[in-house]
Amino acid sequence: MQLGSVTLFFLFIFSLLLSQHGAEVYNITPSHPLSEGETLVSPGLIFELGFFSPNSSGNKYVGIWHKDIFPRKVVWVANRDKPIAFIDTLASLRVSSNGSLELVDGKQNSVWSTNVTIQVSSSNTSLVAAVLSDDGNFVVKDVIGAGESIWQSFHHPGDTLLPNMMLGYDIKNRKSSFLTAWKSERDPSSGIYTTELGRRTDMPAQLIIWINRSIPFWRSGPWDKSKFIGIPNMDDRYLSGFKLDENVDQGTKYYSYNLPKETLGYLDLSSQGKLKHMYSENGRNWSLKCESQKNNRCDIYGTCGPYGICSISESPICKCLKGFVPKSHQEWSKGDWTSGCVRKTELFCERQTNKKSVPLQGKKDDDDDGFRKIIRAKVPDYHQYITSLDLEDKFNDCKIRCLNNCSCLAYALVNNIGCLVWYKDLIDLQKFSNGGVEIYIRLAHRELESILTTRDTLREYIGKHDPSELLVYDFDTILTATDNFSITNKLGQGGFGPVYKGVLQDGKEIAVKRLSSSSGQGIEEFKNEMLLISNLQHKNLVRMMGWCVKEDEKLLIYEFMLNKSLDTFLFDTRKRAVLDWPIRFNIIQGVVRGLLYLHHDSYVKVIHRDLKVSNILLDEKMNPKISDFGLARIVEGTQNLENTQKVVGTRGYMSPEYAMGGLFSEKSDVYSFGVLVLEIISSKKNTSFSLYDQQLGLLAYAWNLWNEGKGLELVDEILGYSYSSSEVLKCLHIGLLCVQDNAVDRPIMADIALMLSSDKDCPRPKLPVFTIQNSAYHARSHYESINSSKNEASITMIEGR
Ligand SMILES: *[C@@H]1O[C@H](CO)[C@@H](O)[C@H](O)[C@H]1NC(C)=O
Ligand SMILES: *[C@@H]1O[C@H](CO)[C@@H](O)[C@H](O)[C@H]1NC(C)=O
Ligand SMILES: *[C@@H]1O[C@H](CO)[C@@H](O)[C@H](O)[C@H]1NC(C)=O
Ligand SMILES: *[C@@H]1O[C@H](CO)[C@@H](O)[C@H](O)[C@H]1NC(C)=O
Ligand SMILES: *[C@@H]1O[C@H](CO)[C@@H](O)[C@H](O)[C@H]1NC(C)=O
Ligand SMILES: *[C@@H]1O[C@H](CO)[C@@H](O)[C@H](O)[C@H]1NC(C)=O
Ligand SMILES: *[C@@H]1O[C@H](CO)[C@@H](O)[C@H](O)[C@H]1NC(C)=O
Ligand SMILES: *[C@@H]1O[C@H](CO)[C@@H](O)[C@H](O)[C@H]1NC(C)=O
Ligand SMILES: *[C@@H]1O[C@H](CO)[C@@H](O)[C@H](O)[C@H]1NC(C)=O
Ligand SMILES: CC(=O)N[C@H]1CO[C@H](CO)[C@@H](O)[C@@H]1O
Ligand SMILES: CC(=O)N[C@H]1CO[C@H](CO)[C@@H](O)[C@@H]1O
């Protein structure tokens, strides 16, 4: 939540003309119009109505604002599209005994009027007055008569929704109430953005922001009775006062909200098309409670077109859903994604329909369509609701009802809503880094192969992929390329064996990893592992080009990284100056994206297990690429029981539970990532001989600095003062959260990605202790690691999605 920008946003200064010390009145009557020297106030002095002029606009308007809150936010404007000239000081707002409310300029010409009147006759008396109520409603009423209002501003909203106002529609009476943004921060005239409650009655309501009332700009996703599910951080607790009133018989649907007493607030549509919920607890200034969207391209409606999915943490942000390909590769490659994607394989049910009347008999189960799950999704537009019949097994019921209708393209079972289905092109689908719901996309059976829910399906996947899809290099070619693995070509010694630089005959540079494991693993098994690894592709992972096996030699061929590994810069007294803060920050962000992919977004979950600075390679633009991912599996698989205590991993980066018990999970990678971040900030590696002090030195040092509020002292002194202290402090904070002793306390990569990209407050990290009881450790670890490494290697490393 960016409070600073909010304050700026409201930084238009009002020339309240004489009103500062002018008279305050409590009503406007036919005998007493409101003129420029005066303001109309509400009985509790909460709201005020009067003439105002946005800074240097040359125009004058009648508007309503909160009386004592600064900077002022005008919540309603009478003549927004018909300003009075600034120099006209004789304008006035008057009511007539027939109930009409009218703004006239200095020449007594009508500028704006309500056009609503009542019948008056001489036989009865009426006293019409215009008053401002304490909730901000400006009301014209007959104070002697029934007291019913003749006209009220709440029925004619501007850009702001106040508590007790309603946003929605009444179909029978063809009435609707929506917000229209200002043209700019200083121009109240009607801008291009409007927001309203979606008009379709057959689906759970959502808010839509339109451009020119015709082009959708943003949507909230459906309302689940306490929040809109397409706003990932919409905390329903904050918004307990929001509600949706629907009356199906009368055809009305209205959205409104209330706040606790003593709290003031409003919801406003900014001139940039963003909804903001502001509140004030002290009655003096405004704070931002939440906003509908960040400045995020994925939030713009349909950025990735039909069947595209937008994820802001990936690059490019748009991808086709699995089983779909770009409609126009040309446009897509240029970054114009709006034409979207098309199905690769026709659905089985479509083929059946197209062939007409071909009986379904004799079909194999294999032919049938199925669904692929997407997690953390903002569901697409045009959701429809179907009432579930089977209350016992709602989920299956929802699935079957979708499967049984060929037009049904996707379904989702959402808490507090029920079974949602989609019959139209799936558009405006987004993948969040947290929040969101699970949605199931219908696909032809053939496209479902990459859905791995269990290890068996993983085997199935491998069985269906031909390992020859990977480039197999001839051993002699590699020998020639690496000069017979000459020492001069050696780039380094990795955890899994030495790495050599090679030059192929066509001049292409490669990196060759020569696995040190002396077999045990069969060639088929090795090929399968290669296939798995080679399918992990992300711009922050080193790309595998192929492999080579000859007798005991197992070689992996990777793309060559021009700038070698991060440690060659970071721990070099001179070269580390190259790593200015923006480069370091970019490296941290890239590593986060790469790990996020390995842990959460690739088709199998992969735990790296040996993350460290020397495994972060740098391309020619100093972008980070993680290397050696997935290799732990291969080495692990080759080891017999006696060796299992030798945990894979590098001292200094190992989480306590891994170092001690050989237990690993994605949280042990998170730990290593934390150490990495602290090293990137400080350029310190703090080597010592002792296995455990080595890292505690740096970690405890960093924690203490942070705890004393001196976190910036950790920064590598070579950077001087040229760094963003907020970025550094955020990275330090995240790093400390990651190295907490207890794996449960550590965030997952998805949390980290979110923390990095938002201003959300992070929890407080605990002091890393990493204490061990020596004898107990040895006695226990041997015992446990045999069991754990065997089981964990096969279970934790790979999880289907
Ligand atoms: C408002 O007007 C004053 C005087 O014309 C000027 O100094 C100030 O910068 C203006 N503020 C904004 C936000 O434009
Ligand atoms: C209401 O009264 C005002 C002022 O007397 C007059 O200008 C206007 O025409 C009247 N409107 C109607 C509908 O009678
Ligand atoms: C009142 O009627 C006039 C003329 O028909 C119209 O221009 C104006 O917009 C109306 N005012 C309001 C507030 O509806
Ligand atoms: C005054 O007369 C009008 C028209 O005859 C009627 O609609 C209104 O209700 C009367 N007001 C009162 C207070 O009796
Ligand atoms: C919205 O309407 C305005 C004025 O008609 C026009 O200039 C603008 O291009 C329109 N915007 C879009 C996105 O169509
Ligand atoms: C609002 O006022 C309170 C108390 O005066 C102050 O602590 C707070 O920082 C202010 N908030 C903003 C956004 O100005
Ligand atoms: C499938 O759903 C669509 C959209 O609701 C509906 O029009 C159609 O009749 C359904 N088809 C079948 C066979 O139920
Ligand atoms: C590599 O080794 C082979 C056979 O051992 C030898 O014939 C060849 O000359 C060597 N090549 C280089 C570049 O040393
Ligand atoms: C592995 O764990 C099982 C059950 O937790 C235990 O019975 C068994 O003794 C353990 N195996 C070894 C070799 O310690
Ligand atoms: C900082 C640094 O050394 N960057 C180099 C990375 O590699 C490219 C291509 O070789 C060089 O141009 C950069 O100078
Ligand atoms: C062995 C070693 O260098 N340990 C150091 C690790 O870092 C802390 C804090 O900088 C030092 O106090 C240790 O001496």
Side-chain angles (χ1 to χ4, degrees):
M1 308 280 153
Q2 288 148 345
L3 297 176
S5 64
V6 171
T7 322
L8 258 182
F9 175 79
F10 294 107
L11 246 183
F12 42 94
I13 299 161
F14 293 94
S15 313
L16 283 171
L17 310 171
L18 302 167
S19 73
Q20 216 68 356
H21 301 287
E24 288 171 358
V25 298
Y26 290 92
N27 51 36
I28 304 172
T29 59
S31 59
H32 191 138
L34 188 80
S35 56
E36 272 206 13
E38 298 167 319
T39 59
L40 174 70
V41 293
S42 69
L45 302 179
I46 295 169
F47 282 95
E48 186 171 33
L49 176 148
F51 289 84
F52 75 97
S53 183
N55 205 18
S56 64
S57 69
N59 290 330
K60 196 151 53 186
Y61 303 88
V62 168
I64 300 174
W65 51 85
H66 291 80
K67 191 173 185 309
D68 290 325
I69 307 187
F70 296 90
R72 281 199 158 131
K73 157 67 188 164
V74 174
V75 297
W76 184 81
V77 182
N79 55 325
R80 64 186 297 181
D81 291 310
K82 292 175 183 164
I84 303 169
F86 180 74
I87 48 168
D88 186 342
T89 53
L90 296 174
S92 64
L93 184 64
R94 47 165 75 149
V95 286
S96 311
S97 46
N98 63 15
S100 103
L101 175 71
E102 194 172 32
L103 177 63
V104 295
D105 66 13
K107 295 190 178 118
Q108 305 300 301
N109 295 323
S110 174
V111 175
W112 172 90
S113 83
T114 59
N115 297 343
V116 187
T117 53
I118 50 163
Q119 292 280 325
V120 278
S121 67
S122 46
S123 64
N124 64 18
T125 47
S126 66
L127 176 54
V128 169
V131 296
L132 189 57
S133 64
D134 276 334
D135 57 6
N137 196 4
F138 182 35
V139 185
V140 180
K141 59 184 175 186
D142 180 349
V143 286
I144 291 181
E148 228 166 76
S149 68
I150 300 164
W151 177 91
Q152 52 178 307
S153 64
F154 270 19
H155 290 167
H156 306 272
D159 70 340
T160 308
L161 192 74
L162 292 169
N164 298 331
M165 264 171 101
M166 297 194 298
L167 201 63
Y169 51 84
D170 174 345
I171 291 179
K172 276 191 194 153
N173 295 311
R174 295 172 171 231
K175 276 194 212 155
S176 79
S177 109
F178 55 91
L179 302 181
T180 307
W182 287 24
K183 193 166 260 166
S184 74
E185 288 162 30
R186 273 177 268 158
D187 182 355
S189 61
S190 303
I192 61 167
Y193 295 104
T194 56
T195 189
E196 65 177 358
L197 208 54
R199 300 282 187 108
R200 298 195 26 209
T201 46
D202 55 349
M203 61 189 231
Q206 63 178 347
L207 280 178
I208 300 178
I209 297 176
W210 299 94
I211 300 176
N212 291 345
R213 300 210 66 194
S214 56
I215 304 162
F217 178 63
W218 173 84
R219 44 182 279 279
S220 65
W223 175 253
D224 79 353
K225 301 187 176 70
S226 66
K227 62 179 186 299
F228 291 107
I229 65 168
I231 308 178
N233 294 321
M234 182 163 175
D235 191 329
D236 36 358
R237 281 171 308 169
Y238 287 156
L239 303 175
S240 52
F242 281 82
K243 67 174 201 284
L244 189 80
D245 286 318
E246 184 172 9
N247 186 321
V248 180
D249 295 338
Q250 289 177 11
T252 60
K253 210 181 247 189
Y254 283 104
Y255 187 61
S256 62
Y257 80 113
N258 280 304
L259 288 171
K261 240 182 162 252
E262 311 298 319
T263 306
L264 298 170
Y266 65 87
L267 192 72
D268 120 289
L269 179 65
S270 78
S271 54
Q272 276 90 40
K274 199 186 264 195
L275 278 169
K276 292 182 173 162
H277 179 203
M278 306 292 293
Y279 74 106
S280 175
E281 271 162 357
N282 58 12
R284 295 266 170 259
N285 62 12
W286 292 118
S287 307
L288 178 63
K289 185 131 250 181
C290 76
E291 57 191 339
S292 57
Q293 68 254 62
K294 306 260 170 210
N295 295 322
N296 179 333
R297 281 183 74 192
C298 285
D299 280 330
I300 296 172
Y301 187 97
T303 294
C304 300
Y307 305 102
I309 183 163
C310 200
S311 169
I312 201 65
S313 62
E314 282 175 41
S315 176
I317 55 173
C318 288
K319 284 205 169 58
C320 286
L321 289 172
K322 292 235 171 78
F324 292 79
V325 288
K327 189 167 186 185
S328 159
H329 283 277
Q330 205 179 4
E331 287 176 16
W332 196 267
S333 64
K334 282 190 210 137
D336 176 3
W337 301 292
T338 49
S339 60
C341 311
V342 290
R343 225 175 252 294
K344 268 200 252 176
T345 312
E346 195 182 23
L347 293 173
F348 176 73
C349 67
E350 280 172 350
R351 287 205 308 272
Q352 291 301 315
T353 320
N354 294 347
K355 276 194 245 159
K356 298 269 187 300
S357 71
V358 170
L360 288 179
Q361 284 151 359
K363 87 182 163 88
K364 290 186 305 199
D365 279 352
D366 267 9
D367 293 335
D368 220 343
D369 299 329
F371 293 93
R372 183 178 171 275
K373 177 164 90 171
I374 296 178
I375 57 168
R376 288 181 266 124
K378 173 176 182 173
V379 298
D381 201 2
Y382 300 111
H383 47 275
Q384 293 196 29
Y385 176 73
I386 51 177
T387 329
S388 195
L389 291 182
D390 183 353
L391 295 175
E392 288 290 298
D393 192 357
K394 285 188 198 157
F395 183 78
N396 237 351
D397 189 48
C398 188
K399 174 179 173 175
I400 287 167
R401 282 154 156 273
C402 186
L403 197 59
N404 286 346
N405 186 333
C406 194
S407 320
C408 183
L409 301 168
Y411 74 91
L413 191 70
V414 181
N415 281 346
N416 296 330
I417 298 182
C419 180
L420 291 178
V421 286
W422 282 263
Y423 297 113
K424 293 196 177 164
D425 284 348
L426 306 178
I427 189 153
D428 201 33
L429 186 55
Q430 208 186 127
K431 182 150 185 177
F432 295 131
S433 47
N434 73 337
V437 298
E438 290 178 353
I439 178 171
Y440 291 78
I441 313 287
R442 185 185 206 120
L443 287 175
H445 186 267
R446 233 175 78 193
E447 299 298 338
L448 287 170
E449 291 165 341
S450 50
I451 305 173
L452 301 172
T453 45
T454 62
R455 293 194 67 232
D456 290 337
T457 45
L458 172 62
R459 287 215 186 82
E460 196 182 314
Y461 168 80
I462 289 167
K464 280 180 183 157
H465 278 70
D466 181 1
S468 66
E469 278 173 17
L470 252 184
L471 200 51
V472 180
Y473 287 84
D474 179 54
F475 191 67
D476 291 334
T477 308
I478 303 297
L479 271 186
T480 315
T482 59
D483 241 348
N484 287 355
F485 295 114
S486 79
I487 191 82
T488 49
N489 275 20
K490 190 166 165 179
L491 292 170
Q493 176 76 35
F496 307 96
V499 185
Y500 297 86
K501 181 177 175 175
V503 183
L504 294 175
Q505 235 156 13
D506 62 3
K508 192 169 175 49
E509 293 178 309
I510 53 172
V512 180
K513 184 170 284 276
R514 196 176 188 185
L515 290 185
S516 48
S517 68
S518 53
S519 205
Q521 190 177 35
I523 190 143
E524 281 311 309
E525 203 182 341
F526 178 71
K527 276 188 200 170
N528 290 341
E529 296 295 346
M530 291 302 90
L531 189 65
L532 265 180
I533 296 173
S534 67
N535 266 294
L536 300 170
Q537 287 188 14
H538 186 271
K539 73 167 186 168
N540 295 112
L541 298 183
V542 177
R543 196 169 65 85
M544 186 160 132
M545 293 164 57
W547 58 287
C548 168
V549 174
K550 192 184 183 191
E551 285 148 22
D552 267 1
E553 290 277 5
K554 286 179 182 148
L555 308 177
L556 309 182
I557 321 298
Y558 290 99
E559 59 179 335
F560 180 73
M561 287 294 129
L562 280 170
N563 285 321
K564 311 229 166 62
S565 59
L566 178 57
D567 59 331
T568 60
F569 288 95
L570 198 62
F571 300 138
D572 185 285
T573 41
R574 251 175 282 136
K575 274 167 82 186
R576 67 185 219 268
V578 172
L579 303 175
D580 60 18
W581 176 252
I583 293 183
R584 291 181 198 222
F585 192 53
N586 179 52
I587 291 173
I588 292 174
Q589 288 174 310
V591 173
V592 169
R593 282 192 289 264
L595 281 178
L596 188 64
Y597 173 80
L598 288 176
H599 286 184
H600 302 282
D601 293 331
S602 59
Y603 63 94
V604 285
K605 180 181 211 128
V606 175
I607 313 287
H608 190 295
R609 291 214 281 165
D610 194 17
L611 191 66
K612 54 182 171 181
V613 278
S614 58
N615 273 338
I616 307 300
L617 306 189
L618 298 168
D619 72 4
E620 69 284 358
K621 288 182 185 144
M622 300 297 275
N623 291 311
K625 301 204 178 210
I626 301 173
S627 77
D628 274 8
F629 51 87
L631 292 192
R633 278 181 59 76
I634 294 172
V635 172
E636 190 79 6
T638 66
Q639 284 174 343
N640 54 28
L641 287 185
E642 276 89 280
N643 284 339
T644 44
Q645 201 193 343
K646 202 184 102 197
V647 285
V648 178
T650 301
R651 293 176 175 193
Y653 292 90
M654 277 188 267
S655 61
E657 74 276 12
Y658 184 24
M660 290 200 251
L663 288 168
F664 62 84
S665 69
E666 58 182 291
K667 291 293 185 78
S668 24
D669 275 357
V670 167
Y671 185 94
S672 310
F673 169 76
V675 177
L676 192 84
V677 168
L678 298 180
E679 288 179 335
I680 293 175
I681 296 172
S682 65
S683 290
K684 283 197 181 62
K685 75 173 150 188
N686 199 357
T687 32
S688 81
F689 348 95
S690 150
L691 171 56
Y692 301 111
D693 280 343
Q694 170 184 337
Q695 54 189 339
L696 199 56
L698 178 59
L699 307 195
Y701 177 61
W703 192 88
N704 285 328
L705 284 179
W706 179 84
N707 192 40
E708 289 162 21
K710 299 189 293 192
L712 293 176
E713 288 182 20
L714 186 71
V715 178
D716 184 354
E717 70 276 3
I718 212 162
L719 295 183
Y721 291 102
S722 46
Y723 53 81
S724 152
S725 39
S726 63
E727 283 171 7
V728 168
L729 288 175
K730 172 166 282 178
C731 290
L732 171 58
H733 195 148
I734 290 172
L736 290 172
L737 287 173
C738 294
V739 297
Q740 292 177 104
D741 261 31
N742 197 339
V744 178
D745 293 335
R746 294 174 214 146
I748 57 171
M749 289 318 294
D751 298 334
I752 293 169
L754 185 74
M755 289 177 202
L756 262 185
S757 65
S758 73
D759 291 335
K760 234 180 119 181
D761 278 344
C762 309
R764 209 185 145 76
K766 295 175 185 153
L767 171 67
V769 246
F770 201 173
T771 46
I772 54 158
Q773 296 87 31
N774 258 319
S775 51
Y777 151 61
H778 283 299
R780 222 184 52 201
S781 65
H782 182 70
Y783 176 81
E784 279 188 356
S785 58
I786 292 170
N787 260 347
S788 58
S789 55
K790 192 156 178 268
N791 296 334
E792 296 287 322
S794 49
I795 296 166
T796 335
M797 283 290 293
I798 289 221
E799 269 172 29
R801 305 189 184 283

